[in-house]
Amino acid sequence: MMNKLMITKEAGVATILIKNPPVNVLTIDLINEINAFVLSLKDDRETKAVVFKSFHDTFFIAHLDLNVINGSQGGQAASIEFNHMIGNIKAMKQLSVAIVDGVARGGGNEFVMACDLAYGTENSAFAQPELHINIPTGGQGAVQFARRLGKGKALQALLTGADFTAQQAEALNIITQFVPKVELDAFIEPLLQLVSAWEIRDIVMYKEIIAASIKDEDVGSELELRYFLERAKEEKTQKIIAAFLKHGGQTEREAKDIQGIFVDTAAELSK
């Protein structure tokens, strides 16, 4: 039973509206619901993308509930579950997408960075201000800032706790892209439509290659080649290549109308 998540599913896309009044604080109840939902997708091959949105006009997710940041057994357990939630989101097979049209600080920003893709509007703000309450980041905030921003910018961001606009966050790789609110639906819809057409294994494949490549370029290259050689042998691959060539692949048409070739190829295969 989900009380704080409003879930809708359509055409391979699950949209999650996070609703935890008054300001979408990451309480233990909300954390537990997010964990339960994310883990429920483990064997789901039909859902290709999960889109996280907020019910609130000002906040995406405010931060981790300050009432659990203490030395009590319950508080420590809740903080650990929060950390597990970040890991669970990162481990999803599905493409995770954060649509941020409000403030995301602390745990909220860590939630955003845990998602595969994140888009912020002019109404969004991103920050890790934990030091102001005498704690470090607890959901990989400092880790992600170090990896994304580099030493100097990460230190500056963490020691000041200052807000970043969506445009600044994009430039620093905290989010994927700034998208004006009025353009958001028109931008996101075709992206999700395209992603939902792929098999879940396609998404997993590229997630694995990218993750491996970030850690070690040679390991990533080996994994990519292994996937390439395995896919090349598939009957599905050979059928697609034959149809692609039939409709103008490797001809002058590719220069100006490769998308048209893809459309014609898909139509041929759907007969």
Side-chain angles (χ1 to χ4, degrees), residues 247-258 261:
H247 291 285
Q250 296 188 174
T251 71
E252 291 292 330
R253 187 182 178 191
E254 272 197 25
K256 295 182 179 179
D257 190 31
I258 193 167
I261 301 176

Side-chain angles (χ1 to χ4, degrees), residues 34-110:
I34 292 169
N35 274 331
F37 173 73
V38 169
L39 292 174
S40 76
L41 297 173
K42 183 179 178 182
D43 298 317
D44 186 338
R45 295 290 183 272
E46 300 303 315
T47 303
K48 314 298 178 55
V50 178
V51 179
F52 294 100
K53 296 181 176 181
S54 171
F55 86 103
H56 204 281
D57 290 335
T58 306
F59 288 92
F60 175 70
I61 293 174
H63 46 69
L64 179 62
D65 183 6
L66 298 182
N67 294 303
V68 307
I69 302 175
N70 55 55
S72 71
Q73 186 174 353
Q76 298 281 290
S79 297
I80 290 170
E81 281 307 303
F82 161 67
N83 194 276
H84 288 167
M85 180 197 74
I86 296 298
N88 289 336
I89 293 170
K90 290 174 66 178
M92 288 171 61
K93 290 182 173 70
Q94 292 78 11
L95 185 75
S96 54
V97 184
I99 305 296
V100 188
D101 187 38
V103 174
R105 297 191 184 103
N109 187 53
E110 289 168 319

